[in-house]
């Protein structure tokens, strides 16, 4: 796969180093450096200047000693206060390469380069961008506060949070540079483009100005530089991060219902009950009932409940949810307090302050300013403990959507000046996780991605979906839209099942016009990408009102999958985001998906996984497309449509080839051949209706088909290919009798 560690370093006597990929020099004369403020308030940078031994570069002055340890494909930079007085750490840069200062960078011309820009938190845009295109951060809507933790980069800069993938247009050979943990600090990778070339490249671990007392040291997380196939590098990176940061939780998939994207906070306890009844009646395999924003009187005052919506309080409804066999879930934004909340008024000391002593604005919640809490304060942590004792212990909630949590990682004058923003943030999450225990789970949302690994069970990896495909303001790169949500979900798919369970945000399946302005194709694109890349699937409809035929779209992607499809090409085109996914189900079958991002119909070619002949089934259209070799041509790929193909290699063995019951046919894969019949056991889907496609052994013809003992309809759709209609309540047995 070419993702092997073929990186090597050459260290020089003058404290610089080169990075090579095999024999190709990637960077020459780079340094590692640390920027500090000394005790007299002077800000300066110290760069590695000498070789300490085979693997270590260093530099020292009267205040600081810095050491860059270079082992295999990683650089680990450490700063130690060797003076007598405190110093303040602005940042550590394990990699700093600037052609204006004598380094060289061997990358293609900027016009030929693409990079994967990874956004800071759940809702921050993640996109493949052209190196020549200026990164114009959207300037309205508190965009900076929410998405740019270190402000606006200069106009010639191209940035990415925590890690970057760099590649040439049309090639999948790429370079990955990234920090392999986010526990100690936030971080960013930055390229500078001048004219035709990338003229600088750096990796920064932010010290946030923390105090380093005499004798103390601070170590940046290891920075990895590696080369290979883009997708393989990305996955390998995700795996390394997980190895360093661990993983919380013991669930493989989660499926549920969430109140937000139909009611937008206006739901009452009655609405929750009505949806629970609908789930039961329709026998939908949704087991978490998540009450989203809107039950509380104000952000910050979580135990003060809107009596007009939940007159019996939150404990009673949790009990009802549990009594109906479901898991009660609740939304909170625990690291913020509205300006006029009880919390902010009784405990103004809980609020994080800026240099001037003013509370730090975290976000504006439906027009009201919300301030950030200072998570380095013991009394704030105690308040969090008490709060979650109530909500988990007394009320009985077991699923927690912790939202807007980037508020816990904002810049400010922390009570404890020795903790970075990432460390402060992690304290908050850690406390909550400890209080609720392993039986309950955390879904992070509005959450810094890398800094959360190991502390959440599940993570929103996208902006909010919306009732429209397009953002209202097309210039807003983070604008709320299903299109942007799907894009982030796709581009962050390698995190799924490694860092946490990816939450692609809710799916909605309701008909056009019922608070939905999306076409069926758009709805199905959302469902397809969510199902193929995320192990959480939450529906957010007013279920009692959804017509059965639309509910079918939801059933067909339930349950969520443990596997994750991989993005096929990251750097195929300059002007379009990646568009194809591939999921290998077993040795001989695959699910392939292709998205048409365009607003026009077009032809799409989907390459088959190898050169053998494949039976191909169009899942959404429920249509057997015959046997194909090499590729499948979709002549009319509609705007924003995702075509999902189930592909099975042609063979002599009788096989399950495809099914309209579930997108990944994974739940039903046992088939046994008897002398005069074929038996197929179906499990894992509930209340599903559709067809399964089966190939018969050579020279056999079907005479009769039965579904759970009753006669079932079938038709020959191809040579020795049979489509059998079936209805499955909880499990089923399909039998096909042969002629003679
Ligand atoms: C509840 C919602 C839902 C949703 C969350 C989050 O930037 N913004 O103004 C902004 C507002 C709301 C928002 C995200 C961003 O949605 O993602 O699922 O829980 O809060 O208020």
């Amino acid at each position: 796969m070419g993702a092997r560690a073929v990186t090597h370093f050459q260290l020089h006597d003058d404290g610089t180093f080169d990075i090579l990929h095999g024999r190709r020099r990637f960077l020459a004369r780079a340094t590692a450096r640390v920027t500090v403020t000394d005790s007299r308030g002077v800000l300066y940078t110290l760069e590695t200047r000498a070789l300490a031994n085979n693997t270590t570069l260093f530099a020292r002055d009267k205040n600081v000693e810095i050491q860059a340890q270079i082992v295999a494909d990683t650089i680990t930079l450490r700063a130690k206060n060797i003076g007598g007085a405190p110093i303040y750490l602005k940042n550590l840069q394990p990699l700093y390469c600037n052609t204006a200062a004598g380094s060289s960078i061997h990358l293609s011309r900027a016009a030929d380069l693409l990079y994967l820009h990874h956004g800071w938190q759940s809702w921050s845009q993640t996109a493949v961008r052209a190196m020549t295109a200026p990164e114009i951060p959207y300037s309205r809507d508190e965009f900076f506060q929410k998405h740019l933790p270190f402000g606006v980069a200069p106009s010639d800069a191209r940035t990415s949070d925590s890690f970057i993938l760099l590649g040439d247009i049309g090639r999948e050979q790429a370079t990955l540079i990234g920090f392999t943990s986010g526990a100690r600090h936030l971080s960013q990778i930055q390229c500078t483009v001048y004219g035709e070339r990338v003229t600088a490249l750096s990796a920064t671990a932010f010290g946030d100005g923390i105090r380093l007392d005499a004798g103390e040291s601070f170590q940046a997380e290891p920075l990895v530089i590696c080369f290979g196939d883009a997708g393989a590098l990305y996955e390998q990176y995700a795996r390394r991060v997980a190895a360093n940061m661990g993983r919380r939780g013991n669930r493989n998939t989660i499926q549920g219902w969430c109140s937000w994207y139909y009611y937008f906070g206006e739901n009452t306890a009655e609405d929750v009950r009505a949806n629970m009844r609908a789930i039961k009646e329709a026998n939908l395999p949704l087991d978490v009932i998540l009450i989203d924003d809107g039950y509380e009187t104000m952000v910050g005052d979580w135990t003060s409940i809107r009596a007009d919506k939940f007159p019996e309080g939150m404990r009673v409804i949790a009990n009802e949810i549990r009594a109906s066999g479901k898991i009660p879930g609740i939304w909170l934004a625990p690291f913020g307090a509205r300006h006029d909340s009880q919390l902010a008024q009784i405990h103004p000391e809980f609020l994080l302050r800026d240099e001037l002593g003013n509370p730090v604005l975290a976000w504006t919640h439906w027009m009201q300013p919300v301030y950030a809490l200072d998570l380095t304060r013991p009394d704030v942590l105690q308040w969090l403990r008490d709060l979650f004792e109530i909500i988990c212990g007394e009320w009985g909630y077991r699923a927690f959507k912790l939202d807007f949590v980037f508020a816990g990682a904002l810049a400010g004058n922390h009570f404890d000046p020795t903790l970075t923003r990432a460390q402060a943030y992690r304290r908050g999450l850690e406390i909550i996780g400890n209080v609720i225990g392993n039986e309950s789970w955390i879904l992070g949302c509005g959450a810094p991605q890398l800094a959360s690994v190991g502390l959440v069970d599940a993570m929103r990896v996208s902006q909010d979906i919306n009732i429209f495909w397009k953002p209202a303001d097309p210039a807003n790169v983070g604008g709320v839209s299903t299109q942007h949500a799907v894009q982030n979900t796709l581009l962050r798919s390698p995190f799924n099942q490694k860092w946490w369970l990816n939450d692609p945000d809710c799916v909605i399946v309701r008909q056009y016009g019922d608070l939905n302005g999306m076409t069926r194709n758009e709805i199905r694109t959302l469902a397809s990408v969510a199902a193929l890349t995320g192990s959480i699937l939450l529906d957010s409809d007013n279920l009692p009102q959804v017509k059965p035929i639309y509910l079918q779209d939801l059933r067909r992607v339930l349950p969520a999958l443990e596997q994750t499809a991989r993005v096929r090409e990251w750097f195929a085109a300059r002007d379009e985001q990646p568009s194809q996914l591939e999921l290998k189900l077993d040795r001989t079958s695959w699910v392939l998906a292709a998205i048409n991002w365009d607003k026009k119909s077009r032809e799409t070619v989907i390459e088959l996984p190898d050169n053998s002949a494949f039976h191909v089934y169009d899942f959404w259209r429920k249509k057997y497309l015959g046997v194909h070799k090499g590729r499948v041509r979709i002549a009319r790929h509609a705007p924003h449509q995702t075509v999902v193909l189930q592909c099975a290699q042609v063979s002599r063995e009788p096989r399950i080839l495809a099914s309209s019951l579930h997108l990944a046919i994974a739940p039903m894969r046992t088939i046994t051949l008897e002398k005069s019949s074929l038996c197929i056991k179906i499990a894992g889907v509930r209340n599903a209706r559709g067809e399964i496609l089966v190939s018969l052994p050579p020279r056999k013809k079907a005479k009769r088909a039965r579904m759970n003992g009753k006669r079932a309809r079938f038709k020959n759709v191809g040579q020795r290919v049979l489509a059998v209609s079936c209805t499955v309540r909880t499990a089923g047995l399909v039998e096909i009798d042969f002629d003679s």
Side-chain angles (χ1 to χ4, degrees):
M1 285 252 70
R4 299 293 328 136
V6 285
T7 307
H8 57 259
F9 289 87
Q10 276 172 10
L11 278 51
H12 304 294
D13 288 335
D14 62 354
T16 64
F17 60 90
D18 299 357
I19 304 178
L20 291 91
H21 168 216
R23 271 189 294 173
R24 184 178 71 90
R25 206 165 296 274
F26 169 56
L27 300 177
R29 305 280 156 177
T31 61
R33 44 186 231 167
V34 171
T35 301
V36 298
T37 305
D38 69 13
S39 55
R40 290 164 313 153
V42 180
L43 178 76
Y44 71 98
T45 299
L46 186 64
E47 238 176 340
T48 49
R49 318 199 161 109
L51 192 62
N53 58 46
N54 283 345
T55 58
T56 314
L57 300 169
F58 80 105
R60 183 184 298 136
D61 68 9
K62 60 185 192 310
N63 298 314
V64 213
E65 179 183 78
I66 68 171
Q67 273 193 12
Q69 242 221 338
I70 299 180
V71 178
D73 54 3
T74 63
I75 311 173
T76 307
L77 178 61
R78 205 167 62 106
K80 182 172 184 194
N81 181 345
I82 55 169
I87 55 170
Y88 302 87
L89 267 185
K90 183 169 157 67
N91 63 47
L92 293 90
Q93 296 177 299
L95 175 64
Y96 180 79
C97 197
N98 188 344
T99 54
S103 321
S104 55
I105 300 174
H106 304 277
L107 278 167
S108 304
R109 288 180 332 129
D112 296 327
L113 281 175
L114 297 175
Y115 69 106
L116 177 73
H117 165 90
H118 179 246
W120 181 45
Q121 48 106 336
S122 309
W123 311 321
S124 310
Q125 196 200 36
T126 294
V128 173
R129 293 180 175 171
M131 195 58 87
T132 46
E135 245 178 13
I136 312 161
Y138 193 73
S139 59
R140 275 165 274 171
D141 222 5
E142 322 136 62
F143 187 93
F144 297 167
Q145 189 79 3
K146 278 198 192 116
H147 303 294
L148 305 177
F150 303 101
V152 190
S155 63
D156 54 1
R158 313 289 179 257
T159 65
S160 187
D161 182 87
S162 308
F163 70 97
I164 198 168
L165 260 176
L166 297 164
D168 288 8
I169 299 173
R171 294 191 57 205
E172 289 299 302
Q173 280 300 304
T175 304
L176 184 140
I177 304 171
F179 288 90
T180 57
S181 168
R184 295 200 187 100
H185 52 75
L186 302 178
S187 63
Q188 191 180 68
I189 315 298
Q190 186 168 323
C191 302
T192 305
V193 175
Y194 183 76
E196 297 264 280
R197 318 290 322 180
V198 172
T199 56
L201 185 58
S202 61
T204 304
F206 294 97
D208 308 324
I210 60 165
R211 195 181 75 211
L212 207 57
D213 289 320
E216 300 274 308
S217 41
F218 184 90
Q219 187 179 301
E221 301 292 359
L223 180 80
V224 64
I225 297 114
C226 45
F227 308 92
D229 171 76
L233 285 178
Y234 196 162
E235 283 191 22
Q236 184 192 54
Y237 169 72
R239 242 178 262 118
R240 282 170 86 151
V241 167
N244 288 336
M245 301 182 77
R247 171 140 172 222
R248 184 187 151 89
N250 43 27
R251 282 157 201 84
N252 299 328
T253 66
I254 291 170
Q255 26 276 313
W257 175 84
C258 166
S259 61
W260 185 253
Y261 296 96
Y262 186 83
Y263 298 96
F264 296 101
E266 296 305 315
N267 53 290
T268 63
E270 259 327 301
D271 295 318
V272 176
R273 289 185 190 111
N275 277 279
M276 283 203 297
R277 279 195 299 272
I279 290 169
K280 197 160 226 153
E281 274 159 29
N283 194 19
L284 289 166
L286 301 173
D287 33 52
V288 178
I289 304 295
L290 177 61
I291 302 175
D292 210 292
D293 193 5
Y295 66 88
E296 77 287 359
T297 52
M298 264 180 223
V299 169
D301 297 340
W302 303 106
T303 52
S304 158
I305 306 305
R306 287 277 299 261
D308 52 334
K309 297 178 184 166
F310 291 88
E312 302 98 345
M314 299 313 282
R315 192 214 307 236
V316 169
I317 187 81
N319 283 339
E320 288 174 38
I321 294 171
R322 208 193 340 269
S324 74
K326 307 282 178 198
I327 299 165
I330 194 164
W331 176 97
L332 289 94
F335 300 158
R338 209 169 107 167
H339 66 111
D340 51 350
S341 63
Q342 297 271 332
L343 185 68
Q345 285 175 13
I346 299 172
H347 292 294
E349 73 282 5
F350 280 17
L351 307 178
L352 181 65
R353 305 276 162 169
D354 64 15
E355 294 299 320
L356 301 171
N358 297 318
V360 172
L361 176 75
W363 77 97
T364 306
H365 201 69
W366 314 115
M367 324 282 267
Q368 298 293 332
V370 175
Y371 297 132
L373 300 185
D374 182 349
L375 299 178
T376 72
R377 291 182 65 94
D379 48 8
V380 170
L381 295 180
Q382 189 55 47
W383 170 82
L384 274 175
R385 243 180 240 123
D386 296 343
L387 174 65
F388 281 86
E389 290 286 1
I390 294 172
I391 301 184
C392 181
E394 288 178 25
W395 296 358
Y397 287 88
R398 293 291 178 267
F400 298 88
K401 177 173 174 183
L402 304 183
D403 204 351
F404 290 89
V405 286
F406 70 89
L410 293 179
N413 253 338
H414 285 100
F415 171 80
D416 183 343
T418 68
L419 295 177
T420 63
R421 293 163 61 177
Q423 288 168 329
Y425 168 72
R426 288 178 64 84
R427 289 215 166 166
L429 278 187
E430 238 156 36
I431 289 282
I432 298 172
N434 290 342
V435 174
I436 66 171
N438 289 337
E439 286 313 301
S440 298
W441 55 268
I442 296 176
L443 165 59
C445 189
Q449 301 283 288
L450 192 65
S452 304
V453 180
L455 301 177
V456 297
D457 301 66
M459 175 61 91
R460 254 289 280 291
V461 293
S462 72
Q463 297 94 321
D464 290 18
I465 60 135
N466 195 18
I467 59 173
F468 298 107
W469 176 259
K470 281 270 171 203
D473 174 357
N476 186 348
V477 293
V480 176
S481 68
T482 301
Q483 181 200 340
H484 285 155
V486 171
Q487 179 183 319
N488 261 42
T489 293
L490 189 75
L491 300 190
R492 281 178 169 155
S493 54
F495 300 160
N496 190 39
Q497 296 282 356
K498 298 189 187 75
W499 292 4
W500 45 54
L501 307 182
N502 272 21
D503 170 18
D505 203 7
C506 299
V507 298
I508 59 178
V509 296
R510 56 188 178 258
Q511 51 272 34
Y512 185 93
D514 179 19
L515 214 64
N516 169 31
M518 283 191 277
T519 64
R520 194 85 181 269
N521 278 333
E522 290 164 347
I523 288 275
R524 286 173 165 182
T525 286
L526 172 62
S528 305
V529 177
L532 285 167
T533 68
S535 291
I536 295 205
L537 212 114
L538 301 175
D539 172 75
S540 194
D541 284 301
N542 173 12
L543 289 172
Q545 215 166 288
V546 179
K547 296 198 183 105
I549 169 175
Y550 290 91
L551 270 192
Q552 268 321 98
D553 281 4
L554 176 60
R555 280 185 214 287
R556 295 176 70 193
V557 293
L558 283 171
L561 297 174
E562 285 177 41
Q563 307 100 304
T564 313
R566 62 173 202 90
V567 171
R568 279 183 143 184
E569 290 180 315
W570 292 88
F571 296 129
R574 193 197 138 92
D575 300 314
E576 199 178 85
Q577 296 303 314
S579 60
Q580 293 202 12
L581 282 166
E582 170 179 317
L583 175 64
K584 188 170 183 171
L585 294 173
D586 59 33
R587 238 168 12 84
T588 55
S589 44
W590 279 262
V591 179
L592 307 178
I595 305 164
N596 179 6
W597 292 113
D598 211 337
K599 59 174 187 287
K600 294 196 292 277
S601 272
R602 64 173 188 200
E603 186 194 70
T604 292
V605 174
I606 303 176
E607 300 287 333
L608 289 166
D610 60 43
N611 286 327
S612 43
F614 284 90
H615 294 283
V616 178
Y617 182 73
D618 182 331
F619 169 73
W620 287 117
R621 285 176 63 214
K622 303 186 186 174
K623 195 163 188 266
Y624 177 68
L625 303 184
V627 172
H628 290 255
K629 251 187 141 170
R631 62 197 55 82
V632 180
R633 244 172 244 286
I634 308 296
R636 212 186 149 275
H637 195 179
H640 313 152
Q641 180 191 27
T642 294
V643 172
V644 175
L645 302 180
Q646 295 175 343
C647 307
Q649 261 170 16
V650 173
S651 77
R652 295 170 61 84
E653 317 280 288
R655 316 241 331 258
I656 301 172
L657 304 175
S659 173
S660 67
L661 297 178
H662 190 276
L663 167 126
I665 49 173
M668 50 192 122
R669 308 199 60 79
T670 45
I671 181 162
T672 41
L673 178 64
E674 319 248 308
K675 229 195 178 115
S676 59
S677 71
L678 204 54
C679 300
I680 300 144
K681 270 204 197 111
I682 302 176
V685 288
R686 269 205 269 162
N687 241 23
R689 216 169 59 214
E691 60 184 8
I692 54 174
L693 268 72
V694 190
S695 63
L696 302 182
R699 285 182 304 278
K700 296 283 186 203
K701 263 186 74 185
K703 183 167 66 182
R704 238 189 333 263
R706 282 185 306 277
M707 169 80 216
N708 287 343
K710 288 212 199 86
R711 198 162 193 130
R713 285 191 300 135
F714 70 90
K715 56 180 191 256
N716 290 298
V717 292
Q719 212 193 356
R720 285 195 292 113
V721 180
L722 213 64
V724 185
S725 302
C726 47
T727 306
V728 187
R729 258 196 84 70
T730 52
L733 179 69
V734 173
E735 291 162 290
I736 298 162
D737 298 335
F738 303 135
D739 239 348
S740 77

